[in-house]
Amino acid sequence: MTNIHAIILAAGKGTRMNSSKPKVLQTLADNTLLGHVLKQAKLISQKIHVVYGFGGAQVQQTINDNHINWVEQKQQLGTGHAVQQATPHIEDNSISLILYGDVPLIQRATLEQLISACKTSGIALLSVILENPTGYGRIIRDNNIIQAIVEQKDASAEQLKVCEVNTGIMAVRTTLLKKYLNSLDTNNAQGELYLTDIIASAVNDGKTISSVITTDEFEVAGVNDKTQLAELERIYQQQKAAKYMQLGLSLKDPSRFDCRGELSFGQDCEIDFNTLIEGVVTLGNNTTIAPNCCIKNSKIGDNVTILANSVIEDAVIGNGASIGPFARIRPQANIGENAKIGNFVEVKKSTIGKGSKVSHLSYVGDSTVGKGVNIGAGVITCNYDGVNKHQTIIGDGAFIGSDSQLVAPISIGKNATIGAGSTITSSAPEGQLTLSRSKQRLFPSWKRPVKQ
């Protein structure tokens, strides 16, 4: 088995991004551009070398991967020079796969084709045919055999008519790569060491250059500014939406669906427009998500209804539950089977038992709520004393009247009833009514103020 060494060129500053971050740290679908490339490289490579330059410390700190060999390019002397920095770290009996940290949508299948072609010929490059090839190096062929790559600034008028262009991505047997890199010179318009010049050297050496032509121009598109970044974000999201729909997910409007993580789902799930998925999200069977919801790192069960404008983060939602509209389920919340969390309800670090209801305008935090509990409108668990958080425990079948405050630490017994408008500071016994109110009074002489 031939080892594959990925060389990812990531030294560019990305001036047109107008950002303090290096270009490869700009994000697409909540992952850095470099992160997307690394994800594909790790699937097929035994070793990864990242050539960094501008903002190198920031790049390494953000990626934070000890399995990467970080190689510094102190001077920006061209792509050939960048690859030269990595080759001393690469064994001769391997294949070097050259990738770019600002080309985030490259796919594993394409790279595998490229490596396979390299095993046959020793050198294989990836090209694409563009309607408008301006700015790209042209693939020059003779009788369909690749002879050279000519950069835009060095191309003749006839060569500029060629629409097959170089993507920069190539696979080369490392012995050949080292040989041809050593023969590079700066005799070109930019005065740099062009990696593409190794193709002409290989042809002069009698080598046949293999090629893989991708039909997806966005797969090999680089990112140079925020406009291009936004364009690739949309392409990426469209591709994800198409994939999910092919697997059975119903999307009301695929153009307004964003997945910035990984989504798995059962049968007959439906997602309405403007839903954002982040992190790792799992949906069971027959679950529906209404418009304008945000779900992050959560497990959603079967037959769950998530109503409009709800936010769910790092939570578990049980089978048959109903969430929202305008609900916020915060981290470490576990909503039980057939429970209901209604409009403008916030649940944080709490367990809500089977069949329990928190229907309106309530806050439940640091609490354990039993089965069949009814929590009325405007109820809050007062879990914070200004320094520490405290627990509220509500037993099965309890009824908490509207506009009550449960001052933790406190326990509400099984089947207990809390009268509306109460501030409960001591534990309430099971099966009994507990309330705290001042006696209702009349003030006959009182008059409403009159505007002066």
Side-chain angles (χ1 to χ4, degrees):
M1 176 181 175
T2 303
N3 282 341
I4 308 300
H5 284 246
I7 305 171
I8 303 176
L9 306 188
K13 181 176 181 179
T15 304
R16 282 180 281 172
M17 285 290 179
N18 291 307
S19 172
S20 61
K21 295 189 296 186
K23 179 165 65 170
V24 295
L25 294 186
Q26 302 297 319
T27 56
L28 184 151
D30 274 359
N31 193 3
T32 63
L33 299 180
L34 179 55
H36 282 279
V37 182
L38 285 168
K39 181 178 179 180
Q40 299 302 319
K42 288 176 180 178
L43 296 174
I44 56 177
S45 306
Q46 283 70 49
K47 186 66 178 178
I48 296 175
H49 312 268
V50 175
V51 181
Y52 68 91
F54 172 78
Q58 189 178 0
V59 173
Q60 293 179 62
Q61 184 178 12
T62 301
I63 299 301
N64 191 25
D65 189 333
N66 293 328
H67 296 99
I68 293 173
N69 178 37
W70 296 96
V71 181
E72 184 177 11
Q73 185 187 18
K74 294 182 179 179
Q75 293 179 287
Q76 310 297 300
L77 302 177
T79 51
H81 177 259
V83 175
Q84 282 179 342
Q85 310 313 299
T87 52
H89 306 279
I90 303 175
E91 58 200 37
D92 287 346
N93 60 337
S94 65
I95 288 177
S96 292
L97 176 65
I98 299 168
L99 303 170
Y100 294 81
D102 62 352
V103 181
L105 301 190
I106 189 66
Q107 296 298 304
R108 175 183 183 176
T110 302
L111 297 179
E112 287 177 337
Q113 289 182 52
L114 195 65
I115 291 168
S116 179
C118 176
K119 289 178 179 178
T120 300
S121 65
I123 301 180
L125 58 85
L126 181 63
S127 66
V128 62
I129 296 175
L130 300 178
E131 289 186 17
N132 180 10
T134 302
Y136 293 91
R138 306 306 203 275
I139 303 293
I140 306 303
R141 295 178 182 262
D142 184 10
N143 292 324
N144 204 36
I145 298 174
I146 295 175
Q147 300 297 311
I149 301 172
V150 179
E151 298 298 326
Q152 169 89 17
K153 294 180 180 180
D154 301 307
S156 66
E158 192 65 27
Q159 290 170 335
L160 290 174
K161 296 177 182 179
V162 174
C163 290
E164 184 185 5
V165 304
N166 174 44
T167 68
I169 296 171
M170 62 177 71
V172 188
R173 289 197 177 276
T174 302
T175 51
L176 294 177
L177 178 63
K178 292 179 178 180
K179 173 183 177 182
Y180 297 134
L181 283 174
N182 288 334
S183 66
L184 293 179
D185 60 48
T186 57
N187 185 26
N188 53 61
Q190 292 288 92
E192 296 181 346
L193 297 176
Y194 288 163
L195 176 64
T196 49
D197 285 348
I198 72 170
I199 301 301
S201 297
V203 170
N204 291 336
D205 210 16
K207 300 292 183 183
T208 299
I209 311 301
S210 299
S211 68
V212 173
I213 303 176
T214 178
T215 57
D216 181 358
E217 65 178 276
F218 295 106
E219 180 184 9
V220 293
V223 178
N224 294 305
D225 56 36
K226 296 293 177 62
T227 300
Q228 292 175 337
L229 183 62
E231 181 181 20
L232 285 196
E233 176 79 41
R234 278 300 95 215
I235 295 299
Y236 178 86
Q237 296 300 342
Q238 289 169 12
Q239 290 174 348
K240 279 225 165 184
K243 172 187 173 182
Y244 291 150
M245 288 188 291
Q246 290 167 0
L247 293 173
L249 180 65
S250 293
L251 295 176
K252 289 291 189 180
D253 187 347
S255 67
R256 290 187 286 175
F257 167 78
D258 284 84
C259 181
R260 300 174 187 170
E262 296 298 328
L263 174 65
S264 58
F265 46 86
Q267 291 185 320
D268 300 311
C269 290
E270 182 179 286
I271 298 179
D272 216 325
F273 66 87
N274 285 352
T275 291
L276 172 62
I277 303 295
E278 297 183 294
V280 178
V281 174
T282 302
L283 307 180
N285 297 312
N286 302 300
T287 285
T288 61
I289 302 174
N292 304 316
C293 291
C294 178
I295 303 175
K296 181 176 182 178
N297 291 326
S298 295
K299 183 176 181 180
I300 316 293
D302 298 339
N303 303 301
V304 173
T305 300
I306 300 172
L307 299 173
N309 303 291
S310 295
V311 177
I312 302 173
E313 180 180 359
D314 294 300
V316 176
I317 311 297
N319 296 339
S322 175
I323 308 295
F326 294 97
R328 185 183 181 197
I329 312 300
R330 291 172 57 188
Q332 299 183 55
N334 191 322
I335 310 303
E337 183 178 343
N338 297 320
K340 179 181 179 181
I341 306 298
N343 49 285
F344 301 103
V345 172
E346 180 178 355
V347 180
K348 169 253 178 188
K349 200 176 182 181
S350 297
T351 298
I352 307 296
K354 179 179 179 180
S356 291
K357 298 178 181 179
V358 191
S359 296
H360 321 280
L361 303 156
S362 296
Y363 169 70
V364 179
D366 296 288
S367 300
T368 300
V369 178
K371 300 176 182 177
V373 172
N374 188 89
I375 296 179
V379 171
I380 61 172
T381 56
C382 304
N383 57 326
Y384 184 51
D385 64 8
V387 179
N388 299 305
K389 298 291 180 71
H390 301 282
Q391 292 286 316
T392 297
I393 299 173
I394 301 175
D396 295 347
F399 182 96
I400 313 298
S402 297
D403 198 29
S404 294
Q405 303 88 47
L406 308 181
V407 183
I410 196 170
S411 294
I412 307 299
K414 182 177 180 181
N415 296 318
T417 298
I418 304 299
S422 295
T423 299
I424 305 299
T425 58
S426 299
S427 294
E430 65 178 56
Q432 296 187 36
L433 170 64
T434 303
L435 59 82
S436 65
R437 300 181 192 146
S438 62
K439 184 177 179 180
Q440 185 169 316
R441 299 169 58 194
L442 294 177
F443 297 86
S445 62
W446 180 86
K447 293 182 180 180
R448 179 177 292 180
V450 177
K451 185 175 182 180
Q452 300 296 321

